[in-house]
Amino acid sequence: MYTALRLQRKLKQRLRSGEAEITVVTPDPYMTYQPFLPEAAAGSISPRHVVVPLRRVLAHCTIVVGEARRIDHTKRTATVTTLATAEDGTGAVEIPYDELVLAPGSVSRTLPVPGLAEHGVGFKTIEEAIGLRNHVIEQMDIASATRDPAIRDAALTFVFVGGGYAGVEALAELEDMARYTARYYHNIKAEDLKWILVEATGRILPEVGESMGRYAVRELRGRNIDVRLDTRLESCEDRIAVLSDGSRFPTRTLVWTAGVKPAPLLAHTGLPLNERGRLVCTARLTVEGTEHAWAAGDAAAVPDLTASEPGRETAPNAQHAVRQAKVLADNLVAAIDGRPLKEYRHSYAGSVASLGLHKGVAHVYGRRLKGYPAWLMHRTYHLSRVPTFNRKARVLAEWTLAGLFKREIVSLGSLEHPRAEFEIAAGRHPRPDDGDCQ
């Protein structure tokens, strides 16, 4: 989106005259600002304000809602399936191009853990974030109503696997929300809820530094969150999370945030990939050894020219992706005009992470912050980075209102099965809810 937005500005006159055309192929008609997913899950931000509608911000681009299945760069064509592909029976369409920009990002990296595919849920999309919020509150409803102690215990046990940004922020925000929600249940106390964070390495939030990572562990454990370091998930069959240290936790909630991998599309491009499956790129954001092909973001292995060690690549995070997009767009226009290209250089500014309302950690430009100042910096930074003034204003308004009024504690799980009520009225039985996050 950022690349197309900058190209739209740089090529304004050529787009109007028909000399240039920008086509954006995307599986969703919006861009998700992922750093706000934890707050959306906690109810601090409305889900619709976490996403940016592409048709609005890319008014001079052609938006194709679909998925690129294959790219033939020798013929300069992309084979795309759209929402209409199955309806009209014509099959996939081929979209020709002159210049190719690949920025498909990453997908969740799963492992062959028994039961994970059946009972796990990720935390990369707005649908997963809101579904998880609904699910947590529904589990509290189940625990409040059941007479079976085993069901109650499993319903109130929440296991998160992965100690990076997604896992820690999602767990911290949801624990904060659930602890607040518990005050409205006559038979559930905050200490009845069991939150478990499983991390395979010896630290969490490595991006904020070792000392801030240790502080984050102390902060979470101080909230009665069970942080298991150097521990792996061995199995989650039959809704029982089995850990490598021998612990067993009956649970109806398993959130998997243990890493990402490049989008599968890259394997069907014929372009050079490194050992991790990312596109081999130059510092000018061109694909190595390939003309008219560009890449940025999580899918691109871009040399880090600011690193002291030779051969290092830029980290696959939003900080680099957004800045790479601007350089890529400028270089693409420069290539069309026959001008020299610039190299991408950006020193890592630091990291911020939220640990729930008014709590956080930050390591920015060598300075370490924790608690309220870090939380405030987290909000300020991401408010400045979320695209469009419209979204900035709406998010700021919601934060202001959230500070004046009480949290919303409503579960709208029925949104995930909107036809259930009508099917019952029509005499049909809707598909049963299996109690998993899906």
Side-chain angles (χ1 to χ4, degrees), residues 83-158:
L83 295 176
T85 298
E87 298 293 332
D88 56 25
T90 56
V93 297
E94 285 196 352
I95 300 179
Y97 62 83
D98 298 302
E99 303 285 341
L100 172 68
V101 176
L102 279 167
S106 57
V107 298
S108 295
R109 176 177 59 86
T110 59
L111 299 176
V113 177
L116 178 61
E118 293 76 17
H119 303 297
V121 65
F123 199 80
K124 281 187 65 65
T125 68
I126 188 63
E127 293 84 1
E128 288 174 329
I130 302 309
L132 188 56
R133 168 187 168 83
N134 293 333
H135 176 79
V136 168
I137 298 177
E138 285 176 357
Q139 295 312 301
M140 297 177 71
D141 290 334
I142 291 172
S144 177
T146 185
R147 297 180 181 180
D148 189 328
I151 293 178
R152 175 187 169 91
D153 182 59
L156 296 181
T157 300
F158 307 94

Side-chain angles (χ1 to χ4, degrees), residues 34 106-110 124 256-262 276 298 316:
Q34 292 190 344
S106 57
V107 298
S108 295
R109 176 177 59 86
T110 59
K124 281 187 65 65
W256 180 269
T257 62
V260 296
K261 63 181 179 180
R276 295 186 178 181
D298 288 9

Side-chain angles (χ1 to χ4, degrees), residues 49 383 386 388-399:
H49 298 156
L383 183 65
V386 67
T388 77
F389 177 79
N390 180 305
R391 284 296 176 270
K392 295 181 197 294
R394 290 178 183 273
V395 169
L396 183 59
E398 287 197 308
W399 282 343

Side-chain angles (χ1 to χ4, degrees), residues 74-85:
T74 57
K75 296 181 179 179
R76 307 271 188 90
T77 59
T79 302
V80 178
T81 58
T82 68
L83 295 176
T85 298

